[in-house]
Amino acid sequence: MITKKSAIALGIALAFCGSAGAADKTKQTRVEELEARIAKLEEMLRQVTTAAQQATTAAQQATTAAQQASSSAQQAGEVARKADTTASAAKAASDAQAPLTKAAAETASSFEFHGYARAGTVSNSDMFTVKGVGPYITPAGNLGGAVGRLGLETDTYAEAKLLKNFRSDDGSWATFGFMLADGVNSNNDWTGGENGINVRWAYAEMGNLPTFKGTALENATIWAGKRFDKKNFDIHFFDSDFVFLSGTGAGVYDAQVTPDWKTNVSVYGRDFLNEDDEGIKSYVFTMNNYVGNWQFMLNGMHAKNNDVNGSDRATSGLHGLFAYHAPSFYGVADGFSKTGVLAGRGLGAEVKRLGAVGNLLEDAQAFRVMSFGVTDLAPKWKVSPALMAEVSKDRFNKGDEYKWASANLRFTNAINKNFAMQYEGSFQYMDLDSTFTQAKGNFYKLTVSPTFKLDTGAGFFARPELRLFATWMGWDKDLNGFTYDGSANEGFGSTKFTGDSKWLVGAQMEVWF
């Protein structure tokens, strides 16, 4: 049987070689050559077929890839359209939120929060908690005769001050001030029945008002409400103001009288301390002036019905302050210093707490000097001396007379960035005659206080501070039992100490901002 393969070979042979009748002796050889060529052609055909199939597969794959790419492109386009829509929505939301965010930022920046606080505990050498000590511990404390405060304070006192500022497009401004304060002499965390939370500020002030342009009030501040007078100063180391003027009233700050002279004029109304008669009101009319570094202050007091509680009680008073605020340490070193003299008569004989004390006689007189300064003693040493002294007579009783003088010296030595040693020495001389009792003698105090700070290089008054302390104090025994009204008292000053010395140890924190 002739196979399909042989038939194809035979046909091709006949076509190339002529008719079948032309065979010769080489016929067999040629047939073999033809078969070899046919086999080669078949192999070539198989390869072409395989290549064609591969090309077809590749084309199909390319078509599939193209379809997938087209689908991916469509998906990418959809994602892009969604992203564009989302971006447009986000931009719209951002545009809508921007005014709210700006308003919130402006509102937040218009508020200020400030504060002061101290809290500590003090124990004596018998490890009993001590109350009644502090810078006004001595018999002269009732007259304002303070001693150095470091290592003596047992109380917890805190002030929280909130300010809300307002600004107008024309440059005018206003501020509302609000302060809560609490003071208590307790180590407990809950003192609901002992503390005295007070609203000490509730006032508003305005400035840079176009109405006053071109007048002495152009750069002045007008105010009304309850507040502390903000144009006076204190001796921190005694915890004593030069003048403490507070109450509810109205006034003007920084009226420009001349290019170098600014004046502050105010009227305050208040009740007397430790007085229950609400029908007695004390009014203080004040004019506080600054010319360069000089300050002179004149004050008048009036309390119409104050003599109801005693015919000799003052119903009026005069008071004056003359001070110099030096931009150097008494002109001999870098730093600063402040020195002032105060004098008063009648209700003005309480030379620090203006208009606050009502049991003064019409003839009461007082004169006080005050001074303190701060300077660098060496690269890591700072020193601050402070002095207060006062004489007064006919103060509470006809014929009474009081003399006292306090000197204080505080050193601070920065050991490293966060640790300092503080040392304070305090001395007070007293010669007191209340007409009920007399006392004359001296008080001494020495305190050593290891102190931690965030940065001792930030300055003498940088806070917060965490302190440990040990205090020794001594006094003349003749000072024990002194009273202003003849009441029974065997202790020293505001304490129940009956000896002539005492050791105290404790810890305290203090902060302001």
Side-chain angles (χ1 to χ4, degrees), residues 24-36:
D24 56 20
K25 63 178 179 180
T26 61
K27 179 178 179 180
Q28 183 64 34
T29 301
R30 291 178 62 84
V31 169
E32 292 176 354
E33 291 177 352
L34 286 173
E35 286 181 346

Side-chain angles (χ1 to χ4, degrees), residues 60-121:
Q60 291 173 345
Q61 291 175 345
T63 300
T64 301
Q67 291 173 345
Q68 291 175 345
S70 176
S71 176
S72 297
Q74 290 175 351
Q75 293 176 354
E78 183 64 24
V79 170
R81 283 192 295 272
K82 290 181 179 180
D84 185 62
T85 301
T86 302
S88 298
K91 184 177 184 304
S94 177
D95 292 342
Q97 184 67 25
L100 299 177
T101 303
K102 182 179 179 182
E106 290 176 349
T107 299
S109 65
S110 71
F111 282 94
E112 299 177 39
F113 180 64
H114 305 280
Y116 170 83
R118 65 175 179 264
T121 183

Side-chain angles (χ1 to χ4, degrees), residues 28-352:
Q28 183 64 34
T29 301
R30 291 178 62 84
V31 169
E32 292 176 354
E33 291 177 352
L34 286 173
E35 286 181 346
R37 289 180 181 177
I38 290 169
K40 186 176 182 179
L41 288 173
E42 286 178 344
E43 178 62 23
M44 292 176 64
L45 179 61
R46 187 185 63 76
Q47 292 177 353
V48 170
T49 302
T50 301
Q53 291 174 344
Q54 291 176 344
T56 300
T57 301
Q60 291 173 345
Q61 291 175 345
T63 300
T64 301
Q67 291 173 345
Q68 291 175 345
S70 176
S71 176
S72 297
Q74 290 175 351
Q75 293 176 354
E78 183 64 24
V79 170
R81 283 192 295 272
K82 290 181 179 180
D84 185 62
T85 301
T86 302
S88 298
K91 184 177 184 304
S94 177
D95 292 342
Q97 184 67 25
L100 299 177
T101 303
K102 182 179 179 182
E106 290 176 349
T107 299
S109 65
S110 71
F111 282 94
E112 299 177 39
F113 180 64
H114 305 280
Y116 170 83
R118 65 175 179 264
T121 183
V122 178
S123 299
N124 61 20
S125 55
D126 298 322
M127 299 306 293
F128 288 108
T129 299
V130 176
K131 295 183 179 180
V133 300
Y136 297 91
I137 184 176
T138 72
N142 281 3
L143 305 170
V147 296
R149 68 194 295 182
L150 185 65
L152 284 183
E153 292 173 312
T154 63
D155 65 331
T156 295
Y157 177 73
E159 296 176 348
K161 307 170 185 177
L162 182 66
L163 300 177
K164 165 61 178 171
N165 298 307
F166 305 86
R167 296 290 183 269
S168 294
D169 293 337
D170 60 7
S172 58
W173 59 268
T175 296
F176 167 68
F178 181 77
M179 179 171 74
L180 287 176
D182 178 29
V184 65
N185 226 321
S186 172
N187 288 333
N188 294 339
D189 63 325
W190 182 258
T191 56
E194 303 174 49
N195 61 356
I197 296 177
N198 290 279
V199 176
R200 303 195 76 181
W201 285 2
Y203 72 89
E205 60 184 15
M206 299 179 183
N208 203 29
L209 301 178
T211 298
F212 297 139
K213 190 172 181 61
T215 70
L217 301 180
E218 181 173 355
N219 297 313
T221 299
I222 59 175
W223 68 271
K226 178 191 288 190
R227 72 179 306 163
F228 299 166
D229 181 68
K230 69 177 183 180
K231 290 292 183 176
N232 279 291
F233 305 89
D234 72 330
I235 300 180
H236 171 74
F237 312 100
F238 285 137
D239 191 23
S240 177
D241 297 273
F242 270 43
V243 167
F244 184 68
L245 178 58
S246 65
T248 304
V252 177
Y253 285 124
D254 297 323
Q256 197 80 48
V257 182
T258 71
D260 297 323
W261 176 10
K262 287 185 177 181
T263 190
N264 311 280
V265 180
S266 302
V267 177
Y268 285 87
R270 57 167 302 137
D271 300 330
F272 288 126
L273 296 174
N274 303 319
E275 294 284 350
D276 296 327
D277 191 343
E278 296 183 358
I280 302 175
K281 298 294 181 182
S282 173
Y283 295 93
V284 181
F285 306 87
T286 179
M287 185 178 183
N288 195 5
N289 304 273
Y290 290 84
V291 180
N293 294 325
W294 295 93
Q295 176 188 4
F296 58 97
M297 184 181 190
L298 299 173
N299 305 286
M301 297 87 167
H302 185 69
K304 182 178 180 180
N305 299 321
N306 194 40
D307 55 357
V308 171
N309 292 327
S311 59
D312 292 334
R313 280 197 172 189
T315 58
S316 62
L318 295 174
H319 176 279
L321 163 68
F322 186 67
Y324 181 68
H325 306 279
S328 66
F329 184 72
Y330 299 104
V332 299
D334 292 336
F336 72 91
S337 57
K338 300 177 184 293
T339 302
V341 295
L342 305 95
R345 185 178 180 87
L347 292 176
E350 171 52 57
V351 293
K352 184 180 81 171

Side-chain angles (χ1 to χ4, degrees), residues 2 74 92 94 164 240 338 368 370 431 446 485 491 504:
I2 300 175
Q74 290 175 351
S94 177
K164 165 61 178 171
S240 177
K338 300 177 184 293
R368 181 182 293 188
M370 305 175 69
D431 185 358
L446 294 173
D485 56 7
L504 304 174

Side-chain angles (χ1 to χ4, degrees), residues 428-443:
Q428 185 179 80
Y429 164 79
M430 289 161 278
D431 185 358
L432 312 173
D433 182 357
S434 68
T435 71
F436 293 99
T437 56
Q438 296 82 37
K440 185 176 182 179
N442 301 319
F443 170 85

